[in-house]
Amino acid sequence: MSIKEIFTTMEYGSAPESTVASQQWLAQRQHTFEHYIDGQWQPSESKQYFESKNPANMQLLAKVADGSSADVDQAVKAANKAQKQWQSIGGHERAKYLYALARQIQKHSRLFSVLESLDNGKPIRESRDIDIPLVARHFYYHAGWAQLMDSEFPGFQPLGVVGQIIPWNFPLLMLAWKVAPALAMGNTVILKPAEFTSATAVLFAQICAEIDLPKGVFNLILGDGKAGQAIVEHADIAKIAFTGSTDVGRLIRKATAGSGKKLSLELGGKSAFVVFEDADLDSVVEGIIDAIWFNQGQVCCAGSRLLMQESIAEKLTAKITARMNKLVVGDSMEKGIDMGAVVDQSQLDTIKRMVALGVEEGATLHQSTCILPADGCFYPPTLLTNVEPASTVAQQEIFGPVLVAMTFRTPAEAVEVANNSRYGLAASVWSENINLALDVAPKIKAGAVWINCTNMFDASAGFGGYRESGFGREGGKEGLYEYIQESWLANLSTKTPAGKKPQAKTAATTSGTIDRTAKLYIGGKQVRPDNGYSLPVYDFAGQHIAELPDGSRKDIRNAVEAANKARGWTGSTAHNRAQVLYFIGENLSARSEEFAKRIVQLSGKSPADARAEIDLAVNRIFSSAAWADKYDGQIHSPPQRIVTLAMKEAVGNLAIVAPEEGGFLAMISTIMPAIAMGNRVIFVPSAQSALLATDFYQVLNTSDLPSGVINIITGNRDALTDTLAKHYDIDGFWYWGSAAGSKLVEFESAASMKRTWVNNGKYFDWQSTQQGEGELFLRKAVEIKNIWVPYGA
Ligand code: NDP
């Protein structure tokens, strides 16, 4: 092409990245990837391999060891052996290793970038400028947390051996998000990359060897879903961290139910990209490119649902289609391309199928006129307009370069449509009116909200979902709690603190005085149970003293409905909530004699002990009131001109099933922090304190607590637990009870991805300040949303 022609057409020339170093590296490894276990490279026990190809040209990159449960078992043994020493060398020593990893990643950054793009198909520009620098940043950032662990997390300890399973869309970045915090906090790791993309994980293992990371601290198991499953099911793994599809996440939730394994799930998304009429539309168009055509749209938090204010919809659609036609799709090694290859033929087929379905359901198809390479897995940038919010393409993740567009009229409608999704990973809000943007952002149910920007990530800010996008955070201080636990929590016993299990009441005669008829407490009213049944209540001596409603599924449904109507509590100020809690404390204190008598009657405690329990309960209420306006958010400082507001938001509707042994004190200790953080509670008291719970209504009724914030359902705990766990509109579940009950709660919660906190049949000491109140309860009562606000004129 002559210079004149170049000036006339302004076409980009070819600017390919060299693959020489990567090819040499692959040749050194004889185009064969093996497991890295206990500091050694090893073939699979089965000696089986599968092929990994470059999706841009389908050329073979390497044969990959196909991991089995025997390989996983060997890796877990090595990780277990290494863990105590890795923990005991202390934060500073671990920091030095993490720092060395960060330096080594930077020194080999181009090799990492090229390998990543060859393996995944993503543009070299993205792996070079985004993925790999962020990987190094994660190791530097977490080297810092290793250094600070002892001073910042006193009383905490690592979990032990951690199993980590990652997808193919950001192979090395997902590794860094998981490995860096786990190692920093003193855990050892078994990591399984996705079968399509093992290359950079192998290079990372090589670097671990080069920096002399102690053997067994990082172990790499290659393979497909079978290897992942073997990790999930291994008895000696203390925690599973998973990123991938919601379907597999749900399987993992069920497989780990009742095992005591800690779990974090970063799953799919269908994130809203909300554009108001006053937005800078040219910036919006560039934002859309980053939101949906970055990494070929294979991004869990891709802004795949475009919500346009009706008045600008036509103009914006025209701008998007014009810009879309200018995008260049090509080989991942070309520096001038905007989009590379989709990861695999199977993924390409899924995208084609979903788009065809969208058109069938009535959407209008706009596709870039760009020329696609003849070979390889390529798909053009695509926009679907006239999409109904309920249609398949608006609800299901496509995981490809396909944007679906809808319109809205008012900000309230924008929020409603944005939240019309089972997912809740991220959202972008575009408006030049910062007041509007900051009003809308907290109302969108998503773990990250980007204002006038999109797809921003940093090690300092936690990332993770609401709803079926999973739970747990990666990054920031909030993400570290996924890899540590309070030492007392790790050492809980299956025996009560007093050394005996709570006594079951013996059935007694129904003679004696029935002093009153207690009812359920739903929506601020005392109501009779729907089924019209009651259960007898006995005092400590086995004397029949009252009847309690036998609450059922219908009552739970009513309670959830009442809790939904009490959303105003969640939106109220922390100061207001604190005032109500203080008032509850004051009113309980005023009736302490009456409550103490009831405790004596039900538990057989001495009057002095009963008084002490009430005093401690009032004290706990005051603690929760005190925390209500102090357990507040944080501002993270990523290395851009952005402030990231880490806001603590209530989980929502929270089911609490109280411990059988903790009496009135446990009831107060669990409900109060939950409502202090803005949750609405559906509470099932223990049989022993159920009557006290019904006495407690009187206190609530006189304390200005809005109706529906606390709902109390008495009855058969196991049946009520089952109903609560299966209820779709309950967001979180705290359960203290048997190991079998804990398992049921975790298993059944998988359907709607509730945030669960269960005791696995172990006992808390509710008298202890350490175990009965404080930050642990508050942390479980909130989710962190990070709102990214760029600044600068
Ligand atoms: P998967 O959820 O199937 O895979 C994620 C990881 O889990 C991979 O390492 C996979 O192994 C492993 N895995 C698969 N089955 C099991 C199992 N039963 N137990 C334990 N681990 C298992 O996602 P895919 O890669 O198959 O992608 C499918 C869809 O998932 C995409 O179309 C997209 O919608 C979504 N997805 C979401 C991502 C996100 O970041 N939220 C990332 C990637 C995909 P292997 O793949 O090696 O067989």
Side-chain angles (χ1 to χ4, degrees):
M1 198 187 278
S2 71
I3 291 175
K4 185 167 175 231
E5 278 169 339
I6 291 171
F7 268 109
T8 315
T9 64
M10 291 301 281
E11 284 293 334
Y12 288 108
S14 178
E17 174 75 29
S18 167
T19 60
V20 172
S22 295
Q23 294 301 347
Q24 277 171 356
W25 181 80
L26 288 166
Q28 275 162 16
R29 302 211 78 86
Q30 295 170 322
H31 292 269
T32 306
F33 295 159
E34 294 186 327
H35 308 307
Y36 183 71
I37 300 173
D38 206 13
Q40 307 291 327
W41 297 102
Q42 289 189 24
S44 249
E45 197 246 8
S46 65
K47 303 283 184 290
Q48 298 294 310
Y49 291 87
F50 57 85
E51 293 185 341
S52 179
K53 293 181 177 163
N54 176 346
N57 55 24
M58 303 315 282
Q59 283 172 6
L60 180 76
L61 290 176
K63 292 187 306 170
V64 183
D66 192 6
S68 65
S69 52
D71 302 313
V72 169
D73 194 46
Q74 214 191 335
V76 174
K77 285 198 174 93
N80 234 326
K81 199 168 70 186
Q83 197 274 325
K84 282 282 162 277
Q85 175 69 10
W86 179 243
Q87 177 179 349
S88 63
I89 59 173
H92 176 59
E93 291 305 315
R94 289 199 299 276
K96 287 198 274 187
Y97 283 112
L98 268 90
Y99 178 71
L101 285 170
R103 303 282 284 188
Q104 207 69 0
I105 288 162
Q106 281 185 319
K107 281 184 225 162
H108 297 288
S109 64
R110 195 52 76 97
L111 179 57
F112 270 116
S113 310
V114 174
L115 270 179
E116 195 77 308
S117 285
L118 286 176
D119 203 14
N120 165 282
K122 62 172 69 196
I124 180 67
R125 193 174 44 81
E126 290 178 7
S127 48
R128 185 196 61 197
D129 299 346
I130 299 168
D131 293 40
I132 308 306
L134 262 177
V135 169
R137 161 94 178 124
H138 269 267
F139 279 96
Y140 280 124
Y141 177 82
H142 285 98
W145 277 122
Q147 177 73 27
L148 299 175
M149 182 177 175
D150 296 341
S151 61
E152 293 303 302
F153 296 99
F156 281 83
Q157 65 182 51
L159 303 174
V161 177
V162 170
Q164 306 185 319
I165 301 165
I166 56 173
W168 41 259
N169 52 347
F170 293 92
L172 193 67
L173 187 56
M174 291 302 102
L175 176 153
W177 281 23
K178 290 189 166 43
V179 172
L183 296 190
M185 295 294 105
N187 304 279
T188 51
V189 164
I190 320 288
L191 178 106
K192 191 200 89 65
E195 59 184 298
F196 297 145
T197 53
S198 308
T200 48
V202 172
L203 179 55
F204 177 80
Q206 181 181 313
I207 275 178
C208 290
E210 282 166 13
I211 66 149
D212 286 329
L213 188 74
K215 288 176 182 175
V217 168
F218 172 77
N219 302 277
L220 177 67
I221 293 288
L222 306 174
D224 62 12
K226 293 188 304 297
Q229 201 179 337
I231 291 174
V232 167
E233 288 170 359
H234 201 290
D236 293 335
I237 288 183
K239 185 217 156 84
I240 299 292
F242 171 81
T243 298
S245 60
T246 295
D247 288 346
V248 174
R250 200 167 271 133
L251 284 178
I252 293 177
R253 169 69 292 180
K254 289 184 175 175
T256 54
S259 66
K261 285 191 179 84
K262 202 164 174 165
L263 181 62
S264 52
L265 298 174
E266 201 268 269
L267 308 175
K270 193 77 196 178
S271 300
F273 190 104
V274 185
V275 186
F276 287 101
E277 59 190 1
D278 63 352
D280 170 359
L281 294 191
D282 290 325
S283 301
V284 166
V285 172
E286 295 312 307
I288 286 171
I289 290 174
D290 279 344
I292 189 66
W293 294 314
F294 168 58
N295 205 27
Q296 297 70 248
Q298 302 165 135
V299 183
C300 49
C301 52
S304 52
R305 273 191 306 149
L306 173 63
L307 312 186
M308 306 177 279
Q309 198 152 17
E310 214 169 65
S311 50
I312 45 117
E314 208 175 310
K315 192 171 165 191
L316 182 56
T317 306
K319 277 180 183 278
I320 297 168
T321 46
R323 184 70 176 86
M324 204 166 76
N325 288 334
K326 295 251 180 327
L327 295 174
V328 182
V329 179
D331 185 86
S332 52
M333 288 301 120
E334 271 295 344
K335 290 179 196 129
I337 63 160
D338 298 293
M339 251 179 51
V342 166
V343 74
D344 186 69
Q345 184 63 42
S346 56
Q347 188 65 17
L348 185 61
D349 294 342
T350 305
I351 297 167
K352 286 180 180 167
R353 189 170 37 80
M354 290 293 286
V355 170
L357 185 63
V359 172
E360 220 172 90
E361 287 183 352
T364 308
L365 176 69
H366 309 260
Q367 244 164 6
S368 170
T369 51
C370 65
I371 297 160
L372 300 184
D375 299 321
C377 305
F378 292 95
Y379 195 80
T382 299
L383 169 68
L384 292 173
T385 54
N386 295 325
V387 171
E388 291 296 324
S391 67
T392 312
V393 285
Q395 290 297 327
Q396 285 185 18
E397 197 176 32
I398 299 176
F399 226 62
V402 183
L403 180 63
V404 303
M406 285 156 275
T407 58
F408 65 88
R409 287 191 179 160
T410 61
E413 201 190 336
V415 170
E416 198 184 313
V417 182
N419 286 335
N420 179 17
S421 167
R422 63 195 178 108
Y423 295 115
L425 197 51
S428 301
V429 178
W430 293 75
S431 167
E432 290 300 290
N433 179 348
I434 192 71
N435 295 328
L436 175 64
L438 285 175
D439 181 50
V440 165
K443 293 179 181 159
I444 297 183
K445 292 191 165 56
V449 181
W450 297 294
I451 292 180
N452 293 327
C453 59
T454 193
N455 273 341
M456 306 296 296
F457 312 101
D458 183 53
S460 66
F463 183 84
Y466 283 29
R467 298 170 158 183
E468 291 184 41
S469 291
F471 43 76
R473 294 290 178 267
E474 297 190 301
K477 188 173 185 185
E478 56 261 39
L480 298 176
Y481 291 104
E482 297 301 328
Y483 291 102
I484 51 176
Q485 62 183 329
E486 287 83 352
S487 296
W488 65 264
L489 200 54
N491 295 313
L492 285 180
S493 158
T494 47
K495 294 218 159 56
T496 56
K500 58 180 186 342
K501 296 206 171 188
Q503 289 176 346
K505 292 275 172 290
T506 49
T509 61
T510 51
S511 64
T513 320
I514 296 176
D515 61 4
R516 61 180 269 259
T517 307
K519 293 188 184 149
L520 304 173
Y521 187 63
I522 298 175
K525 295 198 181 71
Q526 297 191 35
V527 292
R528 292 180 198 285
D530 179 72
N531 61 13
Y533 285 105
S534 293
L535 297 169
V537 182
Y538 304 102
D539 70 8
F540 185 70
Q543 183 79 16
H544 183 197
I545 52 168
E547 303 288 340
L548 269 178
D550 185 12
S552 65
R553 204 161 62 215
K554 181 77 191 326
D555 302 308
I556 294 281
R557 282 213 295 272
N558 291 340
V560 173
E561 216 170 289
N564 278 337
K565 285 195 189 131
R567 285 207 173 95
W569 176 254
T570 305
S572 67
T573 66
H575 171 74
N576 275 351
R577 293 198 299 268
Q579 297 311 299
V580 172
L581 265 83
Y582 282 126
F583 202 12
I584 294 173
E586 185 187 320
N587 286 329
L588 177 62
S589 178
R591 300 174 71 156
S592 54
E593 282 307 323
E594 177 195 328
F595 275 80
K597 271 193 198 141
R598 184 71 93 186
I599 289 176
V600 171
Q601 183 185 28
L602 291 172
S603 70
K605 278 187 175 180
S606 71
D609 284 353
R611 265 311 291 253
E613 182 172 343
I614 297 298
D615 288 348
L616 189 49
V618 172
N619 189 322
R620 289 246 158 105
I621 297 173
F622 267 54
S623 286
S624 287
W627 274 119
D629 56 2
K630 291 168 198 68
Y631 190 63
D632 49 13
Q634 212 189 336
I635 297 182
H636 296 307
S637 311
Q640 296 104 345
R641 286 158 67 82
I642 288 180
V643 284
T644 307
L645 314 173
M647 294 181 55
K648 288 177 175 146
E649 294 187 345
V651 170
N653 290 341
L654 196 61
I656 302 180
V657 173
E660 197 56 70
E661 78 288 358
F664 184 66
L665 183 60
M667 171 175 142
I668 294 298
S669 306
T670 53
I671 295 181
M672 291 302 144
I675 67 164
M677 293 295 106
N679 295 284
R680 293 93 55 182
V681 167
I682 297 107
F683 182 77
V684 177
S686 66
Q688 200 198 42
S689 59
L691 202 55
L692 271 158
T694 67
D695 293 332
F696 193 54
Y697 309 161
Q698 328 282 339
V699 173
L700 299 179
N701 277 342
T702 52
S703 304
D704 290 346
L705 184 77
S707 347
V709 175
I710 298 177
N711 304 278
I712 303 181
I713 309 288
T714 54
N716 180 311
R717 270 164 54 96
D718 290 347
L720 294 174
T721 297
D722 187 63
T723 304
L724 287 164
K726 287 176 179 158
H727 199 295
Y728 232 79
D729 221 0
I730 289 176
D731 307 290
F733 200 149
W734 295 359
Y735 175 87
W736 283 269
S738 64
S742 300
K743 181 173 181 174
L744 178 129
V745 167
E746 291 188 330
F747 189 89
E748 295 297 348
S749 291
S752 62
M753 283 294 163
K754 294 178 183 63
R755 287 87 188 90
T756 55
W757 182 24
V758 301
N759 68 331
N760 293 305
K762 296 182 177 164
Y763 291 99
F764 280 38
D765 177 0
W766 295 97
Q767 299 287 330
S768 138
T769 305
Q770 184 187 47
Q771 298 189 19
E773 65 174 86
E775 206 195 321
L776 173 64
F777 290 82
L778 304 168
R779 209 165 59 237
K780 299 283 185 186
V782 299
E783 296 201 85
I784 295 192
K785 170 186 280 177
N786 276 294
I787 301 179
W788 296 66
V789 189
Y791 59 86

